[in-house]
Amino acid sequence: MLELRDVHSYYGHIHALKGISLSVEKGEIVTLIGANGAGKTTTLRTISGLLHPRHGSIWLDGERLDGLPPDIIVRKGVGQSPEGRQIFPRLTVMENLEMGAYTRNDKEGIRRDLEHVFGLFPRLAERRNQPGGTLSGGEQQMLAIGRALMCRPRVLLLDEPSMGLAPLLVETIFNIIRELNREGTTILLVEQNAAKALAVAHRGYVIETGHIVLSDNAANLRQNDLVRKAYLGET
Amino acid sequence: MTTPTTSLAQPTTTLATAPSAWRDALRIGLIGGVCAVLVALIGMIEAFSNRNIIAGVITLGTLLIIGSAFLSGYFATRSASDSPRAAEVIGRGALAGLMTSLFLTLLALFVNAVPTIRSMFINASPALVQLLTLGQGMPAGNLLLLVVGTMMGALAGLLQLVPPVFHRSLIIGVVITILIGMMQDLLRVTFQNWSALRPVSNFFFTSNGLAPAGAATIFALAIVFNVVWSQRGDRVRAGIRSLPPAQRRALNLGLVIFGGIILLALPWVVGLFFSEVLVNVGLFVLMALGLNIVVGFAGLLDLGYVAFYAIGAYMIGLLTSTSKEIVFAGGWSFWAALPFAIAVAILAGAILGIPVLKIRGDYLAIVTLGFGEIIRLLAQSDFLKPVLGGSRGVELIPKPAIGPFEFAGPQELYYLILAGCVIAVFVSLRLKDSRQGRAWMAMREDEDVAQTMGINLVNTKLLAFMIGASLAGIAGAIFASKLAIIYPHSFNLLISILVLAVVIIGGMGSIPGVILGALVLVGLPELLREFSDYRLLLYGAALVLMMLVRPEGLWPEEARQRELHEAEEEVSLSEKLADDEELAREGATG
Ligand SMILES: Nc1ncnc2c1ncn2[C@@H]1O[C@H](COP(=O)(O)OP(=O)(O)OP(=O)(O)O)[C@@H](O)[C@H]1O
Ligand SMILES: [Mg+2]
C-alpha cells in the first residue's frame, strides 16, 4: 500500500536517508526501530512531504507521493502524529481535533469520528474545552493521535507515541494502536521502545544511520541477535 | 529576626518581613526617582503643567510629580498584599515614595544651585523648580514635596490592604477622573452644542479643567458603578443569557442600532476639530484591522505595512489627480479609481508574499521592513519623478463625491472612513470564525504541523498578506483624498511601527482590542497637544509597560490570553503527573 523505493533525503548537505526502501501492506502494523539520530523521524517527514527526497520514490496505492506538498499528501490519506506531541497548545482539545479534520467537509462524518476519538480516549472528552497546552503529557499524546485520526487516514504514521510516558500509560497507548489496527487502519510505527513495538507489529525494519539494516516479521526480529543486543537490551 | 532557613521554610509569611522586601522597596523607589528625573528633564512636567485636570487644584504636571511617588509605592508593595503586617506594607510604600520624591527634590535643589545646567538640559528651568517645590518656594516646598511623596507612597501601600474590589474600583475611579479631565475640551465642546446640557457641563467643567465638585462626582460615580458592577455584573450577564432567544436577539439588535446612531451622529456632536481626530483614528483603525489579520491572525510579523498604505494613496493620487506635472495623471473620480487602488495593493501584497513564503520570524520582519522602505524610496526617486512626482508628491487630488454630496471636510470624510472600518470589522469577524481563520491560527502555532493537517501554506500566507494589504490600500486611498496632496515622506517607517503598536497594545488578534488600541494611541495624543513632542517616547514607554504588565494587550483575544496565562491557570507539573498515573490506571483496568 505504502512503499518507499531507495529514498535519499538531505538536510542541506547532511545526507540523512541513504537509500531507504520499505513497504507497508494494507491492514498491517509495521514498525521502524533504530537508535537516536538513525533517521526515523526523517523517514516519516519525507513520507508526509515536509522533506522532499532527492532520489528515489514514494508510492501510495500505485500513486507517486514524492514531490507533492504536505497538504496534498494528507488529502491522499496519509495521517501523521508528529514526534514530541506537537499539538496546538493554545487551541482547545476540540479545536485541535477539528484542525485534524481540516481537509474534510462531511459534517456528519466528522461528528461521528469525533465521537469515535472520544470513545477511544474518554479523557479527551472530559477536557474538550481545555487548551491543549495544559494537558498532561499522556493526554497530549492521545490528542496528537486523535487529531491524526480525524483526517480518516488510510495510513497512519506514528512517531514515538510512547515517548516520555509512564510504563502503564505506554501499555494503554499500545492497546489503542492495536485497537486502531483492528478497525482497519494501516500503521507505520516509529519507536524507541523496540520490545513493545515488536509486540504489536506484524513486521519491522531496523534503521541505522540512514540505512535499513534488517527487515523481517516481528517474531523473527525479536529473536534476532542484533536486535536483541542493540534494541531489546538483552545480553 | 528571621534566619534564612526559616524564611525558606515558610516563604509566603516571612518574605514580607525579610529585609530584602525593604531593599526592594528602596530599589523601586530609586528606579521611580530616576524615571521621574528623566521625565522632568525632558520637559514633560513643565509642558503638562499647562493642562489643568481639576481647576485650581491639580495640573497634569503636578499629577506626574506626585503620581511618580504613588507608582513607586504601588510597585514596591504590589506583591505583598498577603503580608500579615499592615504597618509594614504601608511603611515600604512610604519608603519608595520618599525615595522617588527625594530624587525630584535633589533635582530642584541642583537646578537652583547650578543654573548653568540649563545650557545642557534646556528644560532645567526656574519654572521646573517652581513646579518641583509645588509652588511653595525653596526650603518649604522641598519639605512639602518629600512629605507629599511619602504620603503618596504610603497611600499606595494602604491601597494594597483594602479588599480587591475596592482596590480596583479606587484605581479605576482615579484613572477615569484623570481621563475625563484630560479630554475636557472634547467633552465640553460636545456639551455646549446642546443648550439643555449646558448646566450639566457647567457643573462638571470650568473653562480650564474639571470643577472640583464635578471631579469628586465623577470619581464617586466611577467607584460606585464599579463596585456595583463587580457584585451584580455576573447576575446581569446571566440574566441576559437566560433570556429567550427572540428577546436576546431584540436586545442585541437594539444595542447595534443604538451604537449605530451614536456612530452616525458623532461628527456633528463633537464638531469640526474632533471630527478630524476621529478621521485620523479611523484611518488607523482600518490599517490596524488589516495588519491584525497578518500579524494577529496569521502570525506573520510585517514591519513594512506602510507600503500598502502608500500604494493605495498613490494609486488614488495618480488616477484622480488633475495635476499637469504628473505624466499619467488620470483625472478620474475617486470611485472609479478606488477598485484599482485596492487591486494594486492586493497585487503588491502577493508580490511581497511570494518571496517571503519560506521566511520565518525575525527574517520575515527584516524583509518586510526593507519592502516598506523600497516603496517609499521609489516614490521619492528622481528617476520616477515624472510618474510619481518625486519628493514634491502628487497634488490636486479631488475629494470623493456621491452625486452632489462631496466628502469635503472631516465631518463628511468621517462617513467614508466609518464605512471602511465597518467593512474591515465585518471581514475580520467573518474570517476569524471561518475555516480560513482556523488555518491561520494553526499556521501561527506551528507551520509544519499545520501543513500535515492539510493546510496549504502558500495560499494561507498569501491570502493573509493580500487581505491585509487591501485594507491598508483603502486607508491610503481615503488618506490621499483627504489631504488632496501626498508626499513620499508621509509614508515612512513610523507609520508601520505605529500601526504595529496599535495592534500589540490593543491585543493581537482581537478586533475590539485593535479598535481600542487605535483610540488610545492615535486619539489620545491628538486630544492632548502637549503630548505631541513626547508621542514617540510615550509609545515606547507604553509598549515596554504593556509587555511587562499585560502582554496580551488591552482587550485580548481568547486564544492568546490562554497562552499567556497558561502558567497561572495551568495545573502544576506534579498534578499533571498525577493525571498521567490515573490515566494509566484507567487504561490498565479498562
Ligand atoms: N532539521 C535538521 N537539520 C539538520 N540535520 C537534521 C535535522 N533534523 C535531523 N537532522 C539529522 O538527521 C539525522 C536523522 O535525524 P532523525 O530526526 O530522523 O533521527 P531519529 O531516528 O528520529 O532519532 P530520535 O530517535 O532521536 O528521534 C540526525 O543525524 C540528525 O542530526
Ligand atoms: Mg525522531
Side-chain angles (χ1 to χ4, degrees):
Chain A
M1 180 173 201
L2 177 70
E3 193 180 355
L4 277 71
R5 290 187 199 149
D6 189 32
V7 167
H8 292 255
S9 285
Y10 291 76
Y11 292 105
H13 292 295
I14 301 171
H15 196 171
L17 299 186
K18 302 163 185 162
I20 298 285
S21 296
L22 60 80
S23 66
V24 184
E25 295 309 323
K26 192 167 171 53
E28 267 191 321
I29 302 182
V30 171
T31 183
L32 183 63
I33 56 181
N36 291 117
K40 305 183 296 295
T41 300
T42 308
T43 306
L44 295 194
R45 285 173 66 85
T46 307
I47 297 172
S48 61
L50 288 171
L51 210 61
H52 293 304
R54 283 210 199 146
H55 303 286
S57 55
I58 302 171
W59 302 81
L60 182 72
D61 286 334
E63 224 184 321
R64 252 187 109 142
L65 290 189
D66 54 286
L68 296 179
D71 54 295
I72 301 293
I73 293 179
V74 185
R75 281 165 216 265
K76 300 234 179 256
V78 181
Q80 185 179 20
S81 161
E83 184 172 27
R85 334 170 176 127
Q86 295 172 15
I87 50 143
F88 299 117
R90 281 181 288 171
L91 307 193
T92 62
V93 168
M94 199 67 182
E95 287 166 341
N96 264 281
L97 293 174
E98 281 167 0
M99 279 317 305
Y102 182 81
T103 51
R104 297 170 53 185
N105 286 319
D106 55 324
K107 282 224 171 69
E108 192 45 38
I110 292 175
R111 204 189 50 77
R112 243 179 297 128
D113 285 355
L114 259 179
E115 293 304 311
H116 180 222
V117 169
F118 284 146
L120 283 174
F121 306 106
R123 180 57 71 104
L124 293 184
E126 289 167 30
R127 316 241 146 165
R128 63 179 80 199
N129 293 321
Q130 195 172 316
T134 65
L135 295 179
S136 80
E139 290 162 350
Q140 292 190 13
Q141 187 65 63
M142 294 176 174
L143 182 54
I145 297 175
R147 190 183 57 187
L149 288 176
M150 288 304 294
C151 72
R152 279 235 179 130
R154 290 193 286 156
V155 183
L156 179 61
L157 313 179
L158 295 176
D159 198 345
E160 303 206 28
S162 72
M163 192 211 273
L165 301 185
L168 271 175
L169 202 55
V170 173
E171 202 60 52
T172 314
I173 293 283
F174 277 100
N175 283 339
I176 283 169
I177 291 173
R178 217 175 265 133
E179 163 101 28
L180 285 174
N181 182 243
R182 258 201 303 277
E183 290 168 3
T185 313
T186 308
I187 294 171
L188 176 57
L189 169 67
V190 159
E191 258 304 332
Q192 292 273 357
N193 190 336
K196 285 274 185 295
L198 288 172
V200 298
H202 303 104
R203 291 190 300 116
Y205 291 85
V206 176
I207 181 171
E208 274 179 12
T209 58
H211 295 283
I212 298 283
V213 293
L214 261 180
S215 74
D216 209 332
N217 67 44
N220 287 348
L221 281 180
R222 270 199 302 272
Q223 304 306 322
N224 184 288
D225 278 345
L226 173 95
V227 174
R228 288 176 52 179
K229 272 209 200 90
Y231 301 106
L232 298 175
E234 298 172 11
T235 46
Chain B
M1 266 310 284
T2 49
T3 62
T5 41
T6 56
S7 77
L8 261 182
Q10 301 164 300
T12 44
T13 51
T14 50
L15 207 66
T17 59
S20 79
W22 286 95
R23 244 196 336 262
D24 277 351
L26 203 62
R27 188 171 51 89
I28 289 171
L30 234 129
I31 295 172
V34 172
C35 291
V37 167
L38 182 78
V39 164
L41 284 180
I42 59 176
M44 256 160 100
I45 290 181
E46 209 182 319
F48 288 10
S49 68
N50 295 325
R51 164 93 39 185
N52 267 310
I53 294 295
I54 302 174
V57 179
I58 195 164
T59 67
L60 196 53
T62 318
L63 205 60
L64 274 183
I65 298 174
I66 64 171
S68 62
F70 180 87
L71 283 178
S72 292
Y74 188 80
F75 284 108
T77 52
R78 193 163 59 141
S79 54
S81 51
D82 54 351
S83 162
R85 271 189 276 172
E88 216 156 306
V89 176
I90 297 174
R92 271 188 286 131
L95 176 64
L98 176 64
M99 272 316 284
T100 300
S101 50
L102 184 64
F103 266 77
L104 288 174
T105 306
L106 289 176
L107 176 68
L109 290 172
F110 186 76
V111 172
N112 196 43
V114 192
T116 48
I117 186 79
R118 259 204 107 169
S119 58
M120 206 185 307
F121 295 105
I122 189 152
N123 294 306
S125 61
L128 178 64
V129 174
Q130 177 84 11
L131 285 165
L132 287 178
T133 50
L134 303 177
Q136 301 300 315
M138 222 30 194
N142 294 143
L143 272 181
L144 182 64
L145 178 62
L146 289 177
V147 171
V148 170
T150 312
M151 274 166 45
M152 278 309 191
L155 196 66
L158 189 64
L159 196 61
Q160 310 283 6
L161 301 169
V162 303
V165 180
F166 295 105
H167 176 160
R168 196 154 21 96
S169 301
L170 280 168
I171 290 183
I172 289 177
V174 171
V175 170
I176 286 187
T177 311
I178 294 175
L179 271 180
I180 292 184
M182 292 202 299
M183 295 194 298
Q184 51 185 304
D185 293 345
L186 168 65
L187 296 169
R188 200 156 40 89
V189 167
T190 310
F191 279 135
Q192 296 296 343
N193 282 346
W194 309 82
S195 54
L197 290 178
R198 227 164 266 167
V200 182
S201 164
N202 289 338
F203 173 71
F204 284 111
F205 301 107
T206 69
S207 60
N208 190 5
L210 287 169
T217 312
I218 293 171
F219 181 61
L221 280 178
I223 290 181
V224 168
F225 181 79
N226 198 43
V227 169
V228 170
W229 181 252
S230 67
Q231 282 165 358
R232 298 281 158 79
D234 285 341
R235 218 177 308 160
V236 173
R237 245 171 279 152
I240 291 174
R241 234 175 287 134
S242 64
L243 280 177
Q247 276 185 37
R248 206 164 51 179
R249 222 170 304 134
L251 187 70
N252 277 340
L253 190 70
L255 282 178
V256 168
I257 291 175
F258 181 68
I261 290 175
I262 288 193
L263 279 178
L264 286 176
L266 210 52
W268 307 99
V269 174
V270 298
L272 194 66
F273 172 73
F274 294 108
S275 297
E276 172 81 28
V277 174
L278 283 176
V279 168
N280 286 338
V281 171
L283 283 174
F284 276 89
V285 169
L286 193 48
M287 276 197 281
L289 283 169
L291 187 63
N292 185 46
I293 289 173
V294 183
V295 180
F297 289 3
L300 304 163
L301 184 52
D302 182 352
L303 292 185
Y305 192 61
V306 69
F308 308 117
Y309 185 52
I311 286 169
Y314 265 88
M315 280 310 290
I316 286 291
L318 296 179
L319 292 177
T320 65
S321 168
T322 49
S323 161
K324 296 274 175 300
E325 313 210 347
I326 306 287
V327 176
F328 298 111
W332 299 10
S333 82
F334 176 83
W335 301 107
L338 185 63
F340 287 89
I342 298 173
V344 174
I346 291 177
L347 189 69
I351 288 173
L352 169 68
I354 289 165
V356 301
L357 280 174
K358 300 263 170 207
I359 303 176
R360 291 179 197 185
D362 339 4
Y363 303 104
L364 176 63
I366 293 165
V367 173
T368 52
L369 183 72
F371 180 74
E373 284 299 284
I374 288 171
I375 296 291
R376 185 177 61 82
L377 289 172
L378 278 181
Q380 205 171 352
S381 73
D382 283 336
F383 176 65
L384 290 173
K385 193 165 183 179
V387 189
L388 299 176
S391 52
R392 291 192 42 207
V394 180
E395 303 173 313
L396 300 175
I397 302 169
K399 295 273 183 277
I402 300 178
F405 178 78
E406 195 182 40
F407 293 92
Q411 279 166 312
E412 292 85 17
L413 273 167
Y414 169 87
Y415 293 104
L416 199 57
I417 194 81
L418 182 65
C421 290
V422 168
I423 293 173
V425 168
F426 181 74
V427 167
S428 300
L429 281 176
R430 291 306 296 267
L431 281 172
K432 194 176 172 139
D433 290 327
S434 71
R435 210 174 125 76
Q436 189 57 49
R438 268 180 294 147
W440 279 328
M441 201 149 50
M443 184 175 79
R444 187 176 81 188
E445 303 246 309
D446 189 321
E447 288 194 359
D448 277 354
V449 184
Q451 275 185 294
T452 57
M453 298 292 107
I455 292 166
N456 182 321
L457 278 196
V458 176
N459 295 350
T460 310
K461 279 192 182 178
L462 281 185
L463 197 67
F465 277 122
M466 284 157 62
I467 296 177
S470 70
L471 294 182
I474 297 176
I478 300 175
F479 175 74
S481 55
K482 167 184 170 237
L483 289 192
I485 173 163
I486 48 174
Y487 303 106
H489 69 239
S490 311
F491 306 101
N492 56 27
L493 177 62
L494 274 179
I495 307 263
S496 295
I497 293 176
L498 179 53
V499 179
L500 189 64
V502 166
V503 173
I504 291 173
I505 288 184
M508 273 196 263
S510 153
I511 296 161
V514 165
I515 297 171
L516 183 64
L519 278 171
V520 171
L521 286 193
V522 183
L524 267 190
E526 298 218 20
L527 290 183
L528 298 169
R529 264 143 296 138
E530 302 92 313
F531 270 16
S532 57
D533 283 347
Y534 305 104
R535 213 171 147 145
L536 292 176
L537 182 82
L538 291 175
Y539 288 158
L543 276 172
V544 171
L545 206 68
M546 283 300 283
M547 289 303 106
L548 288 174
V549 181
R550 204 177 156 82
E552 70 272 33
L554 291 173
W555 190 329
E557 182 207 8
E558 244 175 89
R560 211 165 290 265
Q561 201 168 13
R562 267 187 238 147
E563 167 197 41
L564 288 160
H565 292 288
E566 229 163 64
E568 290 160 30
E569 63 193 43
E570 188 188 7
V571 262
S572 69
L573 186 64
S574 60
E575 257 177 79
K576 276 192 174 187
L577 288 178
D579 264 8
D580 270 354
E581 269 167 35
E582 195 187 322
L583 212 59
R585 245 173 280 126
E586 275 169 22
T589 54

